[in-house]
Amino acid sequence: MAPPKRKTGGGRVTPKGTQPGNSRVTAPKSDDAPAVAASSRYTPKTSRRQLIPPNWIPIIMVALLVGGGLMIMARYLIWTGSNIPTLIGLVAILGGLWAATKWE
């Protein structure tokens, strides 16, 4: 069995003796785009579209948390033979917790 082949190619990309920041390479200027350094790694955040207005989020959160708690209590007071209200209550509470993470 032959030994594994050595990696060939690669090597130095910049001239020997250069250090970061010695020279800046800029993109060619055009009329519609500002010049940006080629080594720049910053990417601005894209704006996300908000589907729910922020003032409704705490109202939805509290309604789901309270509704879920009431549904679990109603299982023990009204529907004693079924576990479906407990499941609905837990899902509502989880929805309230999910809404709490969306509140900024």
Side-chain angles (χ1 to χ4, degrees):
M1 181 173 197
K5 200 172 190 180
R6 287 181 39 189
K7 182 179 175 183
T8 58
R12 186 177 288 276
V13 177
T14 57
K16 191 171 184 180
T18 59
Q19 294 191 5
N22 280 356
S23 64
R24 289 226 157 216
V25 178
T26 58
K29 289 187 177 183
S30 65
D31 294 336
D32 56 323
V36 177
S39 63
S40 172
R41 292 182 182 253
Y42 173 73
T43 305
K45 290 183 178 182
T46 58
S47 61
R48 294 188 318 174
R49 194 175 117 219
Q50 269 190 327
L51 299 177
I52 304 172
N55 56 348
W56 278 95
I57 293 176
I59 297 169
I60 292 171
M61 176 189 69
V62 170
L64 286 172
L65 290 172
V66 170
L70 290 174
M71 199 65 175
I72 291 173
M73 284 190 280
R75 183 260 187 245
Y76 290 105
L77 298 173
I78 301 169
W79 298 288
T80 57
S82 175
N83 286 331
I84 299 296
T86 305
L87 181 64
I88 294 170
L90 288 174
V91 168
I93 289 173
L94 287 175
L97 291 175
W98 178 79
T101 64
K102 304 302 175 194
W103 189 16
E104 295 177 358

